[in-house]
Amino acid sequence: MRRLRVGLLGVGVVGGSVARALTQKREQLNAAAGAELVLTRAVVRDPTKARDVPKNLLGTDAEALVRADDVDLVVELMGGEEPCRTLIDTALTHGKHVVTANKRVLAWHGDALFAKAAAKNVALRYEAAVCGGLPVIAPLADDLAANAIRELRGIINGTTNFIVTAMAAGGSYADTLAEAQRRGFAEADPTADVEGIDAADKLAILVRLAFGAAITPQKIFREGIAKLEARDIALGRELGYTLKLLGTARLAATGVEARVHPVFLPTSHPLARVDGALNAVQVVGDLCGPIMFSGQGAGGDATASAVLADIIHVARGALNTTRATRDLPILPMGETRTRCYFRIAVDDVPGVFAKITQVLADHAIGLASVLQREPPQAGSAEIVLLTYSAPESAHAAATADLEKLSCTRAVMARIRVDAPDEHRHA
Ligand code: NAP
C-alpha cells in the first residue's frame, strides 16, 4: 500500500481529534484513502502537555516540519494569520500538499497560495475553513461544478446564530452573549464573531469559490449584531420573519454582491429553522436549483471530519477545490437591492404617518406593510414599516431624511429583509 506521510501543525481542539482518528480509525481511513496514512511529525507550542500523539513525534519547530523530507502532506491546524500563511507558503514551495482549516489565511491570501499550489502541482484543500464539519467547499467545487451559481446565503457563524436564536426567545443581547460565553460558544473577546468579521472571512472564501471572483474580506459590506434589540426580533416575528446573521452573495448583471448583516427571512425559509450554534449554507445553481447544507459548524470531531476527508482526497489524488477566477467586480453596497424593516419612534401627533410615507415616496421606495404600536411612553408612538425592494442607497438616504423629520424621535432600527416583493406575512 502507498504511504502518505502527514505532518501536523497544531494538536489543539481540531488537531487532537485528527490525531486521535488517525490512530483509532486507522483501518477505516486507510481503506477510504487507498493508502496508509502515517503521522510522522507534529508540532505544538508546549510539548510537555498530554496529547494524543506519541511523544517521539512531537516537537515545536514548525519551520522544520514544513520542510521535512519525511512529510508529504502538511495539515495546518494552528490558526491565525501568521506564522500560518508563511508556513503554508513554505510547505507548498517545498512541494508538500497542504490541508488547512485556516479561514483567515485563505480569505486574505488565498489567491497567491492557490496559484502556488497549482504551479507546484500539489494540493491546497480547506474544507474545514468554512463551517467546520459541514461539507460545502468540495460540493461547490466538485459536485456542483456544472452549475453557474446564482446566489448563496448562509448562517456561517455559530456564535452569532446561538445569540440571535436566544434573543428570539426574549433574551437581551448582553444576557445572551454572556450565556454564549459561559457555554463556550463565544470567546472572551467576541468582536470577530459579533461584528461579522469571522463571517466575512468565510464569505470571501465562498465567493471566490462559487463565483470565481477575486475577493478579499475588506470588499464585503459588514454589519454585526451588537446593536440588535430583542424587540425588533419579536416585531419581525409578528410580521412573519425570523432574524439571522447571514452571509449573502448574489451574481448580478455587472458583478457580485457580497455582504454580511442581520437579515429578516420569511419564517418558512429553510435557513430560518436553523437554530442555536448550527451552521447552514443555501446555494442556488442554474441547474440544481436551491440546495441546503446544514450541520455542526464547529467542534473538534466535526471539524476533524472535514480535515480527514481532505487528507483522504489528497491520498486519492484529488488536488484542489477551486474554480477558475474571472474578472468579476464586487458591487458597492449602495447598488444592492433589498427590502427593509424600520422601527421609528415618533411624536404621537396627527400627520406623522403622512410625513413618513412622503419620505419613502421621495426615494421611490414602496411601502408593503405598517404596524403602529401602543405608545411605549405618553406622547410618543412607534411605527414599524416594511418596504418593498429598493437600492440600499435609497434606503440609506430615506433613513437620513426620516431622522430629520421634526416628528421623529429616532429611527430605532433598520433591518434588511431577504424576501421577494410578493411575500406577505403569515
Ligand atoms: P487550538 O485548540 O487553539 O489549537 C491550536 C494548536 O496549535 C495548539 O496545539 C497549539 O499549541 C498549536 N500552536 C499554535 N501556535 C503555534 C506555534 N506558533 N507553533 C507551534 N504550535 C502552535 O485551535 P483549534 O480550535 O484546534 O483551531 C485550529 C484551526 O481550526 C483554526 O484555524 C480554527 O479557526 C480552525 N477551526 C476550528 C474549529 C473548532 O471548532 N475549534 C472549527 C472550524 C475551524 P499548544 O497546544 O501548545 O498551545
Side-chain angles (χ1 to χ4, degrees):
M1 205 180 218
R2 278 181 310 121
R3 297 178 91 212
L4 185 72
R5 296 165 301 174
V6 175
L8 195 53
L9 293 173
V11 192
V13 174
V14 183
S17 285
V18 168
R20 255 192 317 282
L22 284 172
T23 308
Q24 293 171 0
K25 289 164 64 72
R26 176 183 290 125
E27 276 181 30
Q28 186 203 329
L29 297 177
N30 288 352
E36 191 188 352
L37 306 176
V38 191
L39 185 64
T40 48
R41 287 173 185 245
V43 299
V44 291
R45 272 178 300 220
D46 176 3
T48 62
K49 265 197 239 165
R51 317 267 178 183
D52 287 304
V53 168
K55 270 246 178 302
N56 62 322
L57 304 184
L58 263 185
T60 54
D61 190 346
E63 266 290 325
L65 185 149
V66 296
R67 296 162 191 267
D69 288 339
D70 59 359
V71 171
D72 307 308
L73 165 62
V74 172
V75 178
E76 186 279 303
L77 296 170
M78 291 182 358
E81 196 160 341
E82 288 295 354
C84 294
R85 189 206 63 80
T86 306
L87 290 168
I88 292 171
D89 187 69
T90 308
L92 296 172
T93 302
H94 283 78
K96 319 266 182 224
H97 302 297
V98 173
V99 167
T100 178
N102 196 318
K103 63 211 144 204
R104 193 79 190 159
V105 166
L106 290 170
W108 288 89
H109 309 287
D111 288 333
L113 294 172
F114 289 125
K116 178 161 276 187
K120 290 281 178 181
N121 198 31
V122 291
L124 173 54
R125 297 188 66 104
Y126 54 102
E127 184 62 66
V130 179
C131 300
L134 202 64
V136 60
I137 300 299
L140 266 173
D142 300 334
D143 308 310
L144 301 177
N147 286 266
I149 304 300
R150 291 192 165 137
E151 56 187 72
L152 64 84
R153 51 175 70 73
I155 296 169
I156 51 182
N157 179 275
T159 306
T160 46
N161 203 44
F162 177 89
I163 293 171
V164 299
T165 303
M167 286 178 75
S172 71
Y173 171 75
D175 288 350
T176 54
L177 171 60
E179 172 69 9
Q181 285 168 323
R182 252 195 314 278
R183 294 179 54 177
F185 290 125
E187 311 261 343
D189 176 1
T191 311
D193 290 324
V194 301
E195 295 301 338
I197 296 166
D198 173 85
D201 282 354
K202 292 168 180 167
L203 186 64
I205 294 172
L206 291 175
V207 166
R208 183 192 287 116
L209 177 58
F211 303 102
I215 183 172
T216 41
Q218 82 274 21
K219 292 198 181 155
I220 294 177
F221 173 85
R222 180 166 59 74
E223 187 181 295
I225 61 165
K227 296 203 179 90
L228 280 181
E229 290 186 36
R231 176 160 181 72
D232 293 299
I233 298 179
L235 287 165
R237 174 126 324 177
E238 277 186 45
L239 291 162
Y241 296 94
T242 300
L243 189 127
K244 295 291 176 192
L245 180 76
L246 293 189
T248 306
R250 186 177 287 132
L251 191 62
T254 51
V256 178
E257 290 173 13
R259 48 200 163 92
V260 170
H261 54 74
V263 171
F264 274 131
L265 284 170
T267 48
S268 56
H269 193 286
L271 284 170
R273 292 193 286 265
V274 175
D275 284 337
L278 291 180
N279 280 194
V281 176
Q282 186 194 54
V283 178
V284 184
D286 60 345
L287 300 176
C288 65
I291 288 188
M292 195 168 98
F293 306 92
S294 69
Q296 287 183 54
D301 284 353
T303 308
S305 158
V307 172
L308 290 159
D310 274 344
I311 297 173
I312 289 168
H313 281 300
V314 174
R316 289 174 178 173
L319 296 188
N320 292 316
T321 35
T322 49
R323 290 184 181 213
T325 46
R326 52 190 168 145
D327 193 14
L328 201 58
I330 307 303
L331 297 176
M333 184 63 184
E335 291 179 24
T336 297
R337 291 182 72 87
T338 67
R339 302 179 65 184
C340 277
Y341 158 104
F342 284 90
R343 177 163 61 93
I344 310 166
V346 293
D347 292 335
D348 193 14
V349 292
V352 167
F353 190 66
K355 286 181 184 160
I356 289 176
T357 49
Q358 186 57 52
V359 168
L360 295 178
D362 290 346
H363 293 280
I365 297 171
L367 186 57
S369 56
V370 183
L371 276 181
Q372 177 149 12
R373 311 301 301 188
E374 291 289 315
Q377 318 150 12
S380 80
E382 198 171 58
I383 291 180
V384 174
L385 305 173
L386 206 60
T387 65
Y388 284 125
S389 65
E392 170 71 17
S393 53
H395 274 121
T399 307
D401 286 353
L402 287 169
E403 271 164 352
K404 282 185 215 140
L405 288 176
S406 59
C407 59
T408 299
R409 295 188 174 188
V411 176
M412 305 298 288
R414 174 164 78 92
I415 297 172
R416 297 168 190 89
V417 178
D418 185 353
D421 277 344
E422 67 270 20
H423 178 79
R424 290 289 186 275
H425 58 83

